[in-house]
Amino acid sequence: MKTKLFLITFCLLGYFSFAQEAGDIVGVWEPGHGKAKVKIDKIDDKFYGKIVWLKEPIDPATGEPKVDKNNPDESMQSAPLRGYRILKDFEYQGEGIWEEGTIYDPENGTSYSCIITMIDENTLDIRGYVGVKTFGRTDTWRRLTRKK
């Protein structure tokens, strides 16, 4: 009986020691592919993420900084990727979940509905989808720096 009580207490302490708050997502994160680093900030009551580092910042074809050449909006195709906001309009839903936002993939020029789930203080699951969450793709991001 004492062993069961200890295990239950230990599990509850672990659960409550990682109670998330809306601002816990703020910081610099690295997507699973390792090609970029994204800084997530809170602006008013929403969360946004912009590219702050690229593994290959120079386009080998032009010798210039990489731009958003795959954007379907021609007026945006000359926008630099570094500094580009790829996460937009996320709202904290509670329990480590941010929704109502979009993620932009500069590799194919497509924006997707997105849900962000904080797995632990240093891990995010980023799920982009079209229409139904079930038919999306999830990428795991790891934290590089904490909010300041």
Side-chain angles (χ1 to χ4, degrees):
M1 180 67 176
K2 286 185 180 182
T3 302
K4 285 183 182 178
L5 185 58
F6 173 77
L7 287 173
I8 290 170
T9 303
F10 181 76
C11 289
L12 286 174
L13 286 174
Y15 175 77
F16 289 113
S17 69
F18 184 61
Q20 294 107 342
E21 295 181 15
D24 289 349
I25 197 171
V26 173
V28 178
W29 298 85
E30 182 177 45
H33 56 56
K35 296 178 184 178
K37 294 176 183 170
V38 177
K39 184 177 184 209
I40 299 177
D41 287 309
K42 183 176 182 184
I43 301 171
D44 296 324
D45 290 331
K46 295 187 180 186
F47 295 86
Y48 299 84
K50 66 180 177 181
I51 297 171
V52 293
W53 178 88
L54 291 167
K55 185 175 186 176
E56 297 176 3
I58 303 299
D59 184 335
T62 65
E64 299 290 327
K66 284 189 176 176
V67 295
D68 191 20
K69 65 182 179 183
N70 295 320
N71 196 312
D73 179 350
E74 285 186 29
S75 69
M76 295 299 294
Q77 290 177 356
S78 60
L81 282 182
R82 200 165 127 223
Y84 199 90
R85 191 174 282 170
I86 63 168
L87 298 174
K88 295 179 183 175
D89 299 321
F90 284 88
E91 298 175 8
Y92 187 59
Q93 305 298 311
E95 299 183 19
I97 297 173
W98 291 259
E99 291 183 321
E100 306 301 325
T102 60
I103 186 167
Y104 175 73
D105 183 351
E107 291 187 357
N108 64 22
T110 304
S111 290
Y112 300 93
S113 297
C114 186
I115 181 171
I116 300 173
T117 305
M118 184 169 276
I119 303 304
D120 62 43
E121 63 187 18
N122 295 312
T123 310
L124 297 176
D125 273 354
I126 309 286
R127 183 159 190 81
Y129 61 94
V130 176
V132 182
K133 294 175 194 172
T134 306
F135 300 112
R137 186 187 78 185
T138 301
D139 187 29
T140 301
W141 292 18
R142 67 181 178 91
R143 184 188 298 274
L144 298 175
T145 64
R146 297 197 176 283
K147 61 185 173 184
K148 294 184 181 186

